[in-house]
């Protein structure tokens, strides 16, 4: 004789999965159990966490050309802020938010720079964290992705080419622009033109809603400034002398801006890679000016 067993149905789970989940970045509806947004490829864990906590995270964009040092800067910033920094404390939300920090620090510990960020959005590292500034009563929820420089340029030249970048730059509360000091010192104009494009793009987005100068905080950070002491001494003067067009554009288009200098590798060597040419090697890790731009932005947001 067959024994019958009653199994309780978890109807609430079926009902939960039937409700679409809107992507926090682009707003497109997705299936509840999907990992990445079907439209922009942003992790839907951001939406789950925002819904659970009941707090809308602010978005902070870190932008720059390919090889400007975005991955190293973000990874080192997170590593420093999670070590009981006296001015700003950061707590990662979700295991995926630690991946960028882990990969950056593991690479630097073996005298390597992290690999280039791929152009495919589904392979980008996203960070969702809680930031607490000592002078502020309440902590802030922040989202910061490590987006590929080539993809950023493609989006600027051809809007909506990358939905994740388009939506993120439209909604972000503050921006960190990285300028490669090493390439500026070698006389290249690429950094100047790229950042001028970015400044124009961001200000025009803001001007769709408000006339006049943009009030969105923008920190211009001269990365890889380890071998350029004048840049550390006075970053704004350095910008005025070395990138005058960029300096003028920022003055004319934004009200909240600041110039900073940063560096991670106190000493850099070079080695020949078979079939790949010469690559830079960090010989000594001496972070400088990493926290200051971020702290300034958080106080402005």
């Amino acid at each position: 004789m067959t024994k019958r067993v009653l199994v309780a149905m978890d109807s609430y789970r079926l009902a939960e999965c039937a409700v679409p989940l809107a992507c926090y970045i682009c707003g497109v509806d997705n299936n509840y159990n999907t990992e990445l947004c079907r439209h922009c490829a942003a992790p839907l864990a951001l939406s789950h966490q925002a819904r659970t906590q009941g707090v809308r995270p602010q978005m902070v964009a870190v932008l720059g050309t390919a090889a400007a040092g975005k991955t190293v800067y973000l990874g080192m910033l997170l590593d420093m802020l999670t070590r009981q920094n006296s001015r700003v404390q950061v707590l990662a939300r979700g295991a995926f938010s630690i991946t960028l920090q882990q990969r950056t620090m593991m690479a630097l510990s073996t005298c390597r720079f992290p690999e280039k960020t791929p152009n495919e959005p589904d392979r980008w590292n996203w960070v969702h964290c809680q930031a607490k500034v000592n002078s502020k009563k309440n902590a802030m929820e922040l989202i910061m992705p490590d987006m590929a420089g080539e993809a950023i340029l493609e989006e600027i030249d051809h809007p909506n080419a990358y939905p994740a970048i388009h939506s993120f730059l439209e909604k972000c509360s503050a921006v960190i622009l990285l300028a490669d000091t090493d390439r500026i010192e070698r006389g290249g104009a690429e950094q100047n033109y790229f950042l001028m494009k970015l400044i124009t793009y961001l200000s025009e987005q803001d001007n769709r809603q408000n006339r006049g100068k943009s009030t969105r905080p923008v920190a211009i950070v001269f990365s890889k400034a380890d071998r350029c002491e004048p840049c550390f001494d006075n970053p704004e003067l350095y910008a005025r002398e070395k990138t005058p067009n960029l300096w003028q554009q920022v003055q004319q288009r934004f009200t909240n801006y600041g110039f900073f200098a940063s560096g991670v590798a106190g000493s850099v060597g070079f080695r020949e890679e078979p079939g790949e040419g010469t690559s830079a090697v960090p010989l000594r890790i001496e972070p400088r000016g990493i926290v200051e731009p971020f702290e300034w932005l958080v106080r402005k947001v």
Side-chain angles (χ1 to χ4, degrees), residues 9-297:
M9 293 184 61
D10 293 338
S11 302
Y12 71 96
R13 292 185 178 180
L14 295 174
E16 188 179 58
C17 294
V19 178
L21 180 68
C23 173
Y24 191 79
I25 305 302
C26 69
V28 171
D29 286 341
N30 294 266
N31 292 333
Y32 191 84
N33 291 327
T34 306
E35 181 183 0
L36 301 176
C37 175
R38 60 186 174 86
H39 180 61
C40 71
L44 292 178
L46 300 172
S47 301
H48 285 293
Q49 291 170 352
R51 174 182 290 185
T52 302
Q53 295 165 7
V55 177
R56 291 189 61 82
Q58 303 284 339
M59 302 185 194
V60 176
V62 179
L63 309 175
T65 60
K70 298 182 297 298
T71 301
V72 173
Y73 176 81
L74 262 176
M76 180 60 71
L77 174 68
L78 294 169
D79 191 67
M80 294 177 69
L81 294 182
T82 52
R83 294 174 181 266
Q84 297 295 321
N85 186 278
S86 59
R87 295 175 298 182
V88 186
Q89 293 85 40
V90 161
L91 177 66
R93 299 288 197 189
F96 70 93
S97 297
I98 304 175
T99 303
L100 176 61
Q101 175 186 349
Q102 176 190 9
R103 291 181 177 175
T104 301
M105 301 315 296
M106 290 297 291
L108 293 177
S109 68
T110 56
C111 294
R112 295 182 297 108
F113 286 112
E115 293 183 4
K116 176 181 175 292
T117 303
N119 289 340
E120 296 81 11
D122 60 339
R123 298 174 62 191
W124 294 346
N125 289 312
W126 292 72
V127 175
H128 180 196
C129 62
Q130 181 191 77
K132 177 70 171 67
V133 181
N134 288 342
S135 61
K136 287 194 173 185
K137 182 179 179 181
N138 298 321
M140 299 175 59
E141 297 290 327
L142 299 176
I143 294 175
M144 299 182 292
D146 179 25
M147 301 181 289
E150 293 172 357
I152 296 170
L153 181 59
E154 182 69 16
E155 171 59 32
I156 293 172
D157 288 339
H158 306 284
N160 288 306
Y162 285 84
I165 299 178
H166 184 85
S167 298
F168 196 88
L169 295 186
E170 196 170 45
K171 298 177 180 179
C172 70
S173 304
V175 179
I176 296 177
L177 299 183
L178 293 186
D180 190 333
T181 308
D182 191 40
R183 278 185 270 184
I184 293 174
E185 286 295 308
R186 293 204 301 263
E190 175 195 13
Q191 297 298 298
N192 198 25
Y193 289 127
F194 178 85
L195 293 176
M196 285 172 60
K197 279 186 173 182
L198 270 175
I199 290 295
T200 303
Y201 182 92
L202 292 170
S203 65
E204 287 179 349
Q205 279 189 329
D206 294 337
N207 286 339
R208 294 173 189 169
Q209 300 176 352
N210 302 303
R211 295 290 181 180
K213 293 184 178 181
S214 171
T215 58
R216 177 161 36 182
V218 175
I220 297 89
V221 181
F222 291 100
S223 61
K224 307 180 187 179
D226 312 86
R227 289 170 289 177
C228 186
E229 204 59 36
C231 185
F232 273 107
D233 293 338
N234 193 331
E236 184 167 356
L237 178 61
Y238 182 85
R240 196 177 345 180
E241 293 178 349
K242 295 290 185 176
T243 57
N245 295 337
L246 169 64
W247 180 81
Q248 188 176 22
Q249 288 279 337
V250 172
Q251 297 269 333
Q252 293 175 348
R253 295 179 180 272
F254 290 88
T255 58
N256 291 324
Y257 62 86
F259 291 89
F260 303 87
S262 73
V264 171
S267 179
V268 177
F270 297 90
R271 66 182 175 195
E272 291 289 337
E273 298 286 352
E276 298 182 9
T278 304
S279 62
V281 179
L283 301 178
R284 191 173 65 250
I285 306 303
E286 294 180 356
R288 296 174 62 188
I290 302 296
V291 176
E292 287 78 2
F294 179 77
E295 181 183 7
W296 179 84
L297 274 187

